[in-house]
Amino acid sequence: MQRRHMTERPWWKTQAEQLGFVFHTMYGQPYWDETACWQFGLREIEEGIDQPAAELHGMCLSLVDRVVEDERLLRRLAIPERFFDLIRRSWRDREPALYGRFDLAYDGRGPAKLLEYNADTPTSLYETAFFQWLWLEEAIQAGQVPADADQFNRVQECLIEGLASLGVPPGWPMHFAAAAGSAEDRGTVRYLEDCALQAGLIPRYLDIEQIGIDTQGQFTGLEGEAITHLFKLYPWEWLLREDYAAHLDGADTRFTEPPWKAILSNKGILPLLWEMFEGHPNLLPAYFEDEAQGRAMLDARYVRKPLLSREGANVTILDLDQEEETAEGPYGAEGHVLQLYARLPEVEGNHMVVGAWIVNGEACGMGLREDKSRITRDLSRFVPHIILE
């Protein structure tokens, strides 16, 4: 496992914009970064990332099975009580999930450590599944990497297979929605719409704010049509607090991701997983902030995370209870967890996090993010990878 310097393709920005990757640069800062790549051996991928991600996925499903039957734990995760039955029924009905992304600390030497699970609305999907694969093909053609270089990347195939297995009849419309105004969210959803077309579905897009309610309390699209299947790049913790959330329980809409993902998209799963699988090599010790066991972390370096934080917001790294680094944001009122600090691989001041994708129930690929900070945020750079023996 090593970080390699690379030469940028002169045409990549034009290519990205032609292909709809318009968020390759955000707020004047590079997001896509091909001045470097990370090289892995096949064994590092198979044993260090692929197998642990698959095992973590199974552990998370076992956790949902436990949490839905325990109202104390649902409250612990700050889930509104009026939606307990919605979430419980969604799980008991085995409503299908499409995707999620584990963020892992992995240095190629010790076991990968779970930092968090982006189980509901993970982004960096298009750049993982499509654009870094395109980069690999052209890097091989240019002789920048050997002809036998590969990637851990079956994400697009699994997305198409997963969309085809959501229960939407072939040739039937499926609605896609995201919050208005985010180029990254719109780009992610546009890519999923293209995958849906390849899966034989008819995608229809609307902003999340444009979803309507008819006189029977059913969700409707731009032309008043019923929304029977909806992919929403919009977090469940926000959706459950919207005015129209009162209609969720009686709606005939099938959601992707399903309501039970409200459990796994919560950082409260970190202490719950540790409680269920204490000592597992891919887990870090973690506790709710108000637990007595968590106070023992105050004698070590640890990370304080809000239950519902996104993109690193309000995450703080502390050493001996003294703040070392923090990211601003609007979260924290819902409570916090404490997690033992895991050192990220660092080369030339770049800290790297592995994003391991679970799509259609399969560990199928990864995307890497780098930052000068030890806290990965929304503008952390995406760096491609290769596999070489």
Side-chain angles (χ1 to χ4, degrees):
M1 176 177 167
Q2 61 178 296
R3 188 178 190 269
R4 299 174 45 158
H5 289 282
M6 302 292 292
T7 300
E8 288 185 300
R9 298 167 295 158
W11 58 85
W12 79 261
K13 288 186 180 180
T14 300
Q15 180 188 64
E17 289 164 9
Q18 289 173 343
L19 293 172
F21 187 12
V22 296
F23 53 97
H24 60 74
T25 302
M26 293 190 284
Y27 309 105
Q29 300 296 318
Y31 169 63
W32 170 265
D33 183 3
E34 58 182 63
T35 63
C37 78
W38 282 84
Q39 176 181 313
F40 296 80
L42 182 60
R43 184 174 178 179
E44 290 170 327
I45 295 295
E46 291 181 342
E47 299 181 7
I49 297 171
D50 185 356
Q51 293 176 14
E55 190 166 347
L56 287 166
H57 176 60
M59 292 158 62
C60 285
L61 296 183
S62 296
L63 178 62
V64 176
D65 210 32
R66 174 192 174 196
V67 172
V68 295
E69 303 301 337
D70 190 332
E71 293 192 355
R72 178 185 61 86
L73 294 180
L74 289 167
R75 293 189 189 95
R76 196 63 152 134
L77 298 179
I79 294 173
E81 191 162 345
R82 63 187 175 132
F83 296 111
F84 286 1
D85 286 342
L86 173 72
I87 292 169
R88 187 177 292 120
R89 186 168 58 252
S90 170
W91 175 250
R92 289 174 178 171
D93 290 347
R94 293 298 188 263
E95 292 184 352
L98 180 61
Y99 73 159
R101 191 192 75 233
F102 291 112
D103 284 351
L104 308 173
Y106 179 68
D107 61 7
R109 295 186 293 272
K113 298 294 186 180
L114 174 64
L115 303 176
E116 62 183 64
Y117 187 20
N118 302 277
D120 185 21
T121 59
T123 52
S124 77
L125 181 65
Y126 171 83
E127 46 272 41
T128 295
F130 183 81
F131 204 73
Q132 74 164 340
W133 183 261
L134 180 62
W135 166 86
L136 173 64
E137 292 180 328
E138 296 192 354
I140 291 174
Q141 292 171 5
Q144 286 198 334
V145 300
D148 59 345
D150 201 357
Q151 274 182 1
F152 178 33
N153 195 353
R154 223 179 71 81
V155 177
Q156 180 161 299
E157 294 92 328
C158 289
L159 283 170
I160 295 169
E161 293 165 5
L163 285 160
S165 64
L166 289 177
V168 186
W172 197 263
M174 179 172 179
H175 288 77
F176 290 78
S182 170
E184 181 182 9
D185 287 2
R186 185 67 190 98
T188 300
V189 173
R190 186 176 285 114
Y191 172 62
L192 283 164
E193 291 175 63
D194 183 67
C195 291
L197 273 173
Q198 296 181 63
L201 310 180
I202 302 175
R204 294 181 179 176
Y205 178 80
L206 73 169
D207 294 336
I208 199 82
E209 298 85 356
Q210 295 175 314
I211 294 175
I213 303 288
D214 67 15
T215 56
Q216 283 75 46
Q218 300 300 313
F219 294 108
T220 58
L222 294 175
E223 299 177 2
E225 75 281 9
I227 297 178
T228 58
H229 297 83
L230 175 67
F231 174 91
K232 43 121 213 111
L233 196 65
Y234 195 76
W236 271 110
E237 66 263 23
W238 297 356
L239 196 60
L240 295 179
R241 290 162 175 82
E242 296 283 359
D243 290 340
Y244 54 70
H247 299 280
L248 286 168
D249 214 12
D252 293 330
T253 303
R254 179 69 65 89
F255 291 90
T256 304
E257 296 296 299
W260 59 263
K261 278 292 191 82
I263 294 172
L264 294 182
S265 63
N266 189 303
K267 290 181 181 59
I269 70 168
L270 299 173
L272 296 180
L273 283 169
W274 183 250
E275 179 183 327
M276 287 184 70
F277 305 100
E278 184 173 350
H280 190 282
N282 300 121
L283 295 177
L284 293 163
Y287 304 94
F288 290 98
E289 188 174 37
D290 59 2
E291 290 181 320
Q293 303 97 312
R295 299 191 187 101
M297 288 193 179
L298 304 185
D299 293 327
R301 181 172 287 162
Y302 65 98
V303 184
R304 184 175 187 255
K305 301 179 177 182
L307 295 182
L308 302 178
S309 170
R310 293 180 174 273
E311 298 180 324
N314 300 102
V315 170
T316 301
I317 299 172
L318 302 102
D319 191 12
L320 298 177
D321 207 24
Q322 299 298 310
E323 182 178 308
E324 289 189 335
E325 191 170 354
T326 191
E328 296 181 353
Y331 303 99
E334 66 280 3
H336 294 80
V337 301
L338 307 180
Q339 183 185 51
L340 191 68
Y341 175 80
R343 183 179 177 85
L344 300 175
E346 177 188 354
V347 177
E348 298 174 354
N350 300 289
H351 302 86
M352 187 270 286
V353 167
V354 173
W357 287 88
I358 301 292
V359 183
N360 196 29
E362 177 183 335
C364 60
M366 71 179 188
L368 311 180
R369 303 285 296 278
E370 286 188 345
D371 205 300
K372 297 296 183 182
S373 166
R374 290 174 292 169
I375 301 174
T376 306
R377 315 180 202 206
D378 57 342
L379 295 182
S380 298
R381 301 178 312 281
F382 188 101
V383 179
H385 76 274
I386 61 172
I387 303 173
L388 276 180
E389 278 301 288

